[in-house]
Amino acid sequence: MAAAAAADVREIDAIVVGAGFSGMYMLIKLRELGLTAQVIEAGSNVGGTWYWNRYPGARVDTQSLEYSFSFSAELEQEWRWSERYAPQAELLAYAEHVAERFDLKRDIRFHTRVAAAHYDDASSQWTVTTDAGDQYRARFCIMATGCLSVPTEVTFPGIESFKGALYRTSRWPREGLDLSGQRVGFIGTGSSGIQAIPVLAEQVAQLTVFQRTPNYSMPAHNGPIPDEDLQAWQANREDYRARSRNTALGFLYDPTDRSALDATPEEREAEYERRWQVGGFRIFGAYTDIGTDLAANATAAEFAKKKIASIVKDPAVADLLTPKDHPFASKRLCVDTNYYATYNRDNVRLVDLRATPIDRITETGLATTGESFDFDAIVLATGFDAMTGAIDRIDIRGRDGAVMKERWAEGPRTYLGLMVAGFPNLFLITGPGSPSVLSNMMTSIEQHVEWIADCLAWMAGRQQAVIEASPAAEDQWVAHVDEISTTTLYPHANSWYMGANVPGKPRRFLPYAAGVDVYRAHCAEVAARDYEGFVVSAAG
Ligand code: FAD
Ligand code: N01
């Protein structure tokens, strides 16, 4: 399908940016369609999130049987997860296995960052320029750049003066790191921090955790997957996967149809306890209104508070670890192994940054407004410029030179989280305005990749070359995404879901909160109505 190569510019049907699970599956689907494709990846291997985030304790918090590709029965039969929640190294090995099994690497260029993507109206082609200065020209440009792939640029006064070692969880050294016997300062208590802190505490001499906002966390109860569970999974795989795709969260969590406020306190306690014992995100299924009604939410928050108090021996520390400024799970719920119990250790100390904020990093450690600390190493687990960060860092120009970053200056605008008006043939996988980070990402990645592939096949079948979101459809979708978010408790928190963790980032709820099931049905309906809301044409 692609034209012959022009000098210096490689001609191809589709460019995919990113070789995480999104980019890998997109490549498989593009090949199935008979399209030539080039994937470009900044890292030196496949795996995306699991390539970059190698901190101690890094693992999934969606169960591995569900956090894995479902598109190939053979792939699923041949891969065996060692634990309910697989660790980072195993996820990376899985990504490698998928790459080998489907012979993906021959179409992936590593160590290369996409710097720019410009659309040419006359030829209806995208020209993609890499940081090495070379170019690719393609009809389709697919951003598989990840929702959580760009760390925030958090810094502190004096940081360059620190004589010890400074690490970020999201850029952990590939060769691994032994911090045994060291005094370590740890900043950040989101999911990354909550996973890393218990593992580091066992390794280091002293761990001082600097907490600004406590988070809610549920126990993983991780361990090997019992044989009978594995057998049940293999026997019922298709049914389980089909059901997962049609839940609100993209995995099985046994949702009830009851309001928390219709249950007695004893019933609620029993229900929450039952789900705590299963662990992970099972608590989401307890009641329908935990995420939408403050009074219902308070019952879950109260349960979590009591659990923290029952685990952490020092009541003052337990109180500090208890969230008070946001509803339960309105910031992303964490899943942990021994997080709260870690604060019972003699070598772990919790410092409340609300009481004494960080003043500066010093040559020998860190000074808060109340105290100075000496450290051999400081670890930053300070989060990501989520959902828009990777897109914002590419110079994307659409029709008439429209600049994506300017178009998104007041917050991201998409139709279905898949396309942006004025940027023809540019697709986003799990983009803002889709359920993405509110779901099992593997479910959402597969749904997006398959929707895009079906769309390209449909276009080819009708000799159509260009598709783009109509401005009216985009306006309506953006308003709808906003409106749905106001029916939830998410806007009550200063979270990365709201863009609140990046100074200057517009405060907008980024994903689509109506649920994977509702969203999937809507996307299917749009396609069935000949891609309603999109403008399709034979040429540019
Ligand atoms: P990524 O895996 O982020 O891959 C994107 C790739 O694009 C990266 O490799 C990046 O280098 C590359 N890239 C970006 N910009 C450019 C550019 N300009 N040029 C070249 N390459 C570029 N989700 C869940 O559902 N369950 C979980 O349990 C879970 N655990 C997580 C744990 C951690 C530590 C983190 C950070 C996230 C977790 N997530 C989880 C979310 C996770 O990001 C997704 O599940 C999934 O891995 C995303 O895959 P992706 O391919 O879309 O993006
Ligand atoms: O990042 P975060 P993360 N001074 O933004 C603090 C996924 N994930 O990497 O809340 C002091 O959640 C900040 O404090 P506050 C998952 O989707 C999944 O942990 O802003 N502190 C917060 O405590 C997750 O939600 C897993 O007050 C500062 C922390 O740093 C997402 O990735 C594992 C600060 C950042 O928490 C991001 O998680 C890891 C400052 N200047 C990640 N700036 C799984 O378990 C920030 N903080 C599967």
Side-chain angles (χ1 to χ4, degrees):
M1 255 175 138
D8 297 321
V9 181
R10 185 146 172 244
E11 306 265 349
I12 206 109
D13 293 320
I15 288 279
V16 179
V17 189
F21 289 133
S22 296
M24 293 169 74
Y25 187 36
M26 194 71 244
L27 175 58
I28 292 170
K29 294 303 280 185
L30 289 168
R31 282 186 187 164
E32 278 174 19
L33 292 172
L35 299 175
T36 54
Q38 177 69 56
V39 181
I40 302 180
E41 165 59 52
S44 64
N45 202 349
V46 293
T49 291
W50 307 106
Y51 166 86
W52 294 107
N53 292 269
R54 296 165 190 249
Y55 57 86
R59 60 178 68 249
V60 271
D61 59 7
T62 310
Q63 297 202 51
S64 297
L65 286 173
E66 298 186 77
Y67 186 87
S68 49
F69 284 124
S70 73
F71 68 83
S72 160
E74 297 74 29
L75 171 65
E76 214 169 342
Q77 305 283 353
E78 73 202 14
W79 185 265
R80 187 172 175 136
W81 295 105
S82 69
E83 292 175 90
R84 283 176 71 195
Y85 300 95
Q88 171 270 333
E90 198 168 322
L91 287 145
L92 191 54
Y94 174 73
E96 273 275 6
H97 172 72
V98 175
E100 260 173 49
R101 195 184 195 288
F102 295 94
D103 188 19
L104 299 183
K105 287 194 182 176
R106 67 184 154 88
D107 287 326
I108 305 177
R109 181 169 167 193
F110 294 107
H111 296 294
T112 308
R113 188 165 282 284
V114 166
H118 293 177
Y119 184 72
D120 174 45
D121 289 281
S123 64
S124 310
Q125 298 264 345
W126 284 93
T127 300
V128 167
T129 308
T130 72
D131 56 358
D134 41 8
Q135 294 192 316
Y136 295 81
R137 203 152 36 228
R139 183 164 297 281
F140 301 107
C141 184
I142 300 161
M143 294 296 169
T145 44
C147 292
L148 295 158
S149 57
V150 176
T152 48
E153 287 153 20
V154 168
T155 186
F156 299 92
I159 199 161
E160 62 297 331
S161 70
F162 182 53
K163 295 252 181 335
L166 188 72
Y167 303 105
R168 281 182 194 273
T169 46
S170 52
R171 293 293 178 267
W172 204 255
R174 267 196 280 160
E175 59 282 10
L177 195 60
D178 183 5
L179 295 173
S180 313
Q182 300 200 12
R183 297 158 305 166
V184 177
F186 196 103
I187 304 174
T189 51
S191 294
S192 300
I194 280 176
Q195 285 188 328
I197 286 163
V199 183
L200 282 176
E202 290 185 0
Q203 199 183 96
V204 305
Q206 269 184 314
L207 186 69
T208 309
V209 177
F210 296 90
Q211 171 189 274
R212 195 162 63 182
T213 314
N215 263 307
Y216 289 101
S217 186
M218 295 290 119
H221 300 309
N222 194 21
I225 308 174
D227 279 342
E228 59 271 25
D229 289 6
L230 271 180
Q231 280 155 16
W233 182 268
Q234 294 294 7
N236 301 295
R237 194 194 79 81
E238 279 182 25
D239 173 50
Y240 288 166
R241 290 293 200 175
R243 281 167 44 206
S244 298
R245 289 182 198 114
N246 289 298
T247 62
L249 302 179
F251 58 89
L252 300 173
Y253 57 101
D254 188 21
T256 70
D257 55 5
R258 278 170 296 156
S259 158
L261 304 177
D262 289 341
T264 64
E266 294 73 25
E267 285 168 342
R268 276 197 303 261
E269 183 70 18
E271 183 67 19
Y272 288 140
E273 182 62 32
R274 192 170 68 79
R275 288 172 185 270
W276 174 277
Q277 292 308 333
V278 176
F281 295 135
R282 190 55 73 102
I283 194 146
F284 281 132
Y287 298 106
T288 52
D289 43 4
I290 294 175
T292 53
D293 181 284
L294 275 173
N297 185 280
T299 65
E302 187 55 30
F303 175 80
K305 180 180 170 180
K306 278 196 275 177
K307 282 292 182 191
I308 298 169
S310 73
I311 301 169
V312 181
K313 290 188 181 138
D314 180 337
V317 177
D319 184 56
L320 262 187
L321 288 166
T322 305
K324 298 180 186 71
D325 71 348
H326 61 278
F328 178 81
S330 57
K331 294 180 95 157
R332 190 183 184 278
L333 189 61
C334 303
V335 175
D336 71 275
T337 298
N338 292 333
Y339 177 63
Y340 294 118
T342 294
Y343 292 95
N344 295 333
R345 294 175 66 102
D346 289 339
N347 70 334
V348 176
R349 177 173 166 199
L350 183 65
V351 175
D352 176 14
L353 294 180
R354 298 271 178 216
T356 53
I358 294 173
D359 179 41
R360 65 190 185 285
I361 306 278
T362 62
E363 273 189 29
T364 55
L366 182 157
T368 66
T369 53
E371 196 178 340
S372 287
F373 301 83
D374 286 341
F375 295 127
D376 304 303
I378 295 177
V379 178
L380 302 181
T382 41
F384 299 89
D385 185 352
M387 301 206 75
T388 55
I391 301 291
D392 276 352
R393 279 161 181 77
I394 303 173
D395 173 18
I396 304 176
R397 296 177 191 224
R399 208 182 271 295
D400 302 322
V403 179
M404 179 80 88
K405 201 172 167 160
E406 289 172 7
R407 189 62 69 77
W408 283 11
E410 304 298 317
R413 302 183 58 76
T414 68
Y415 177 38
L416 301 176
L418 278 160
M419 293 198 94
V420 181
F423 295 80
N425 287 355
L426 180 108
F427 294 91
L428 311 173
I429 302 180
T430 67
S434 73
S436 62
V437 291
L438 299 180
S439 68
N440 172 1
M441 287 287 274
M442 291 304 252
T443 309
S444 288
I445 287 169
E446 287 195 330
Q447 187 250 336
H448 264 193
V449 169
E450 286 162 14
W451 191 95
I452 293 167
D454 288 349
C455 171
L456 300 188
W458 178 86
M459 285 167 68
R462 283 162 184 72
Q463 284 78 46
Q464 301 293 305
V466 181
I467 182 164
E468 65 184 294
S470 82
E474 182 181 281
D475 285 349
Q476 277 174 19
W477 187 253
V478 171
H480 176 60
V481 170
D482 277 350
E483 189 198 327
I484 292 290
S485 76
T486 63
T487 67
T488 73
L489 300 177
Y490 289 118
H492 291 245
N494 287 319
S495 66
W496 61 258
Y497 289 147
M498 297 294 300
N501 66 330
V502 176
K505 190 163 173 171
R507 199 184 161 97
R508 289 285 282 277
F509 186 69
L510 298 168
Y512 177 56
V516 167
D517 45 356
V518 171
Y519 174 78
R520 174 187 296 278
H522 185 73
C523 288
E525 221 173 279
V526 164
R529 291 196 192 139
D530 286 351
Y531 294 87
E532 188 175 53
F534 292 94
V535 181
V536 184
S537 58

